[in-house]
Amino acid sequence: MPTIRTCKTCGQKNRLAANHLADTGRCGACKNPLPPLDEPLQVDTVLFDEIIQSSRVPVLVDFWADWCGPCHAAAPEVARTAKDMAGQAIVLKVDTDKHQQLAARFAVRGIPNFAVFTSGKLIKQQAGVVDHNVMEGWLRSAVPTPSV
Ligand SMILES: [Zn+2]
């Protein structure tokens, strides 16, 4: 299932495969570069699974809900993380009201709840608001380091 990226130059909606979200692409209409995803992406269960399984960069998932005050407090930090880590990581948002089975799969009770995945595996999960420096630290340490 492709995701849609709107070209900031010409407004063309480009379809992108899930495994290219962190890459610089090229707009199909105006041929200008499409920068890597730099904002949180709202996902459903199907897209979540596809991105987690195919991503070549670490993925931060923000489990949230509209009624959750702390989630809204965390949202700018999540957005900042997506911007700062563009090209190096992907940030997803899962609405736990709309996607309860997905939240249940990761035993999400208290929200906001953050999970970090790399190479399809859950490597960290933590509830509660944190600032973007903490989230970025999780993602940087999630990048597989070459063994020496
Ligand atoms: Zn364009």
Side-chain angles (χ1 to χ4, degrees):
M1 183 173 127
T3 55
I4 303 296
R5 177 96 47 87
T6 303
C7 174
K8 289 187 168 74
T9 306
C10 73
Q12 170 77 22
K13 290 187 173 14
N14 288 270
R15 294 160 74 84
L16 275 180
N19 60 346
H20 287 304
L21 289 173
D23 298 342
T24 299
R26 191 166 288 279
C27 173
C30 71
K31 310 300 180 198
N32 276 298
L34 283 175
L37 185 68
D38 66 351
E39 56 194 9
L41 184 67
Q42 301 277 358
V43 294
D44 60 14
T45 302
V46 172
L47 193 52
F48 173 91
D49 282 328
E50 184 166 338
I51 291 172
I52 294 295
Q53 294 306 324
S54 67
S55 178
R56 286 167 293 179
V57 296
V59 182
L60 174 71
V61 182
D62 171 17
F63 291 95
W64 72 288
D66 196 42
W67 49 263
C68 160
C71 297
H72 289 287
E77 302 296 328
V78 174
R80 172 79 185 269
T81 299
K83 198 168 229 16
D84 288 352
M85 298 296 288
Q88 303 167 69
I90 292 172
V91 178
L92 306 181
K93 288 174 82 82
V94 172
D95 184 327
T96 56
D97 282 348
K98 286 187 186 143
H99 307 294
Q100 293 179 4
Q101 287 184 333
L102 190 52
R105 198 202 299 175
F106 295 101
V108 172
R109 292 185 191 89
I111 52 174
N113 193 296
F114 299 103
V116 179
F117 296 82
T118 188
S119 306
K121 291 194 183 67
L122 176 68
I123 59 163
K124 178 168 188 69
Q125 190 172 5
Q126 181 173 319
V129 179
V130 294
D131 78 10
H132 66 92
N133 288 312
V134 174
M135 298 180 199
E136 290 168 25
W138 294 341
L139 290 166
R140 289 202 174 90
S141 64
V143 176
T145 46
S147 52
V148 285

